[in-house]
Amino acid sequence: MNGKNNIAIGFLTMGFFMAYGFLLIYLRDFAPDKEAWVNSYSIGKHFESRLAHVHGNLFAFLNILIGYLLLHFQSQLSNVKVISWLALTGLLMPIGILSEVYFGLPPALVLIGAMAMTASVIWLGFSFLRIKTP
């Protein structure tokens, strides 16, 4: 795990959540019960579905960026594998939101994913601060 998987999984995840965005557009504009969907714009399943869409794409992009940086600077950074795994684990957040919306599961995956992604970003930031530049 040196960043390559973060890039690949990041792009795949982004593609999934982009397609999910098309589903949200369908539900808003074309579904038979679109009025009910629009009326619940800021509450309930509609709101949480949008949260999953936004965080899914954000976390996918972060994985792509983190993966690129880990690959490019792996010889200068420490704990590359841990940061890589934490960033990938962060994808549990949007998956957890969807599992809450569609399956009624508790928010454990959301919390684990949020903490993992936050830890990976902070850890990578400190790792870059420790790089010695000539």
Side-chain angles (χ1 to χ4, degrees), residues 6-7 9-18 20-21 49-67 86-95 97 113-114 117-118 120-121:
N6 296 81
I7 294 171
I9 293 170
F11 275 116
L12 293 171
T13 303
M14 186 177 286
F16 170 79
F17 279 102
M18 290 170 76
Y20 185 65
S49 298
R50 288 187 348 220
L51 281 178
H53 169 66
V54 169
H55 282 87
N57 281 302
L58 170 63
F59 283 20
F61 178 74
L62 283 172
N63 263 284
I64 294 166
L65 179 62
I66 288 169
L86 283 170
L88 287 170
T89 303
L91 293 172
L92 290 176
M93 183 193 186
I95 293 168
I97 295 171
M117 184 58 81
T118 302
S120 72
V121 169

Side-chain angles (χ1 to χ4, degrees), residues 91-109:
L91 293 172
L92 290 176
M93 183 193 186
I95 293 168
I97 295 171
L98 289 179
S99 69
E100 280 185 78
V101 170
Y102 293 110
F103 305 119
L105 296 178
L109 293 178

Side-chain angles (χ1 to χ4, degrees), residues 22-91:
F22 289 119
L23 172 66
L24 294 176
I25 290 170
Y26 167 79
L27 292 172
R28 184 192 70 199
D29 295 334
F30 303 108
D33 60 345
K34 67 180 181 182
E35 288 82 18
W37 185 254
V38 170
N39 289 336
S40 67
Y41 184 77
S42 62
I43 58 172
K45 286 185 176 186
H46 186 121
F47 179 71
E48 295 202 14
S49 298
R50 288 187 348 220
L51 281 178
H53 169 66
V54 169
H55 282 87
N57 281 302
L58 170 63
F59 283 20
F61 178 74
L62 283 172
N63 263 284
I64 294 166
L65 179 62
I66 288 169
Y68 175 79
L69 292 171
L70 291 176
L71 276 174
H72 190 44
F73 293 98
Q74 68 183 344
S75 63
Q76 297 169 285
L77 296 171
S78 57
N79 303 90
V80 168
K81 288 184 182 194
V82 176
I83 295 168
S84 174
W85 273 109
L86 283 170
L88 287 170
T89 303
L91 293 172

